[in-house]
Amino acid sequence: KLLIEQMCELSGGPCRYTGATMQESHTGFQITQADFDNLVAHLIKVMTAQKVPVGAQNRLLAKLAPMYKDVVYR
């Protein structure tokens, strides 16, 4: 539910993300770069299957990229 809210808000939709910050919600999970990359790959696969144009995919993924530092464990 929260991922959908977040994607909707990031893409300019009418949704509003109601979850915690990325740092708050991912602390303690020790998420690796490979985990983050896997999420991105999955999102690309789903968007491609839904026939989302590559340009739109890239714009959405560019909005996710700044969250990397708050999600991936260092």
Side-chain angles (χ1 to χ4, degrees):
K1 175 186 174 230
L2 292 176
L3 182 59
I4 292 168
E5 281 182 8
Q6 188 175 51
M7 295 296 127
C8 181
E9 184 177 283
L10 285 173
S11 65
C15 305
R16 183 178 165 126
Y17 176 66
T18 60
T21 68
M22 291 297 96
Q23 187 173 27
E24 291 169 343
S25 61
H26 293 88
T27 296
F29 286 102
Q30 298 185 356
I31 296 170
T32 66
Q33 180 177 346
D35 295 326
F36 191 88
D37 291 347
N38 192 31
L39 170 66
V40 171
H42 181 71
L43 290 172
I44 291 169
K45 182 178 178 181
V46 170
M47 289 188 288
T48 300
Q50 293 298 314
K51 302 189 183 332
V52 175
V54 172
Q57 291 182 33
N58 289 338
R59 286 189 297 278
L60 179 61
L61 294 173
K63 292 178 184 275
L64 291 175
M67 297 177 194
Y68 176 89
K69 66 182 178 8
D70 294 327
V71 172
V72 174
Y73 176 76
R74 292 175 245 250

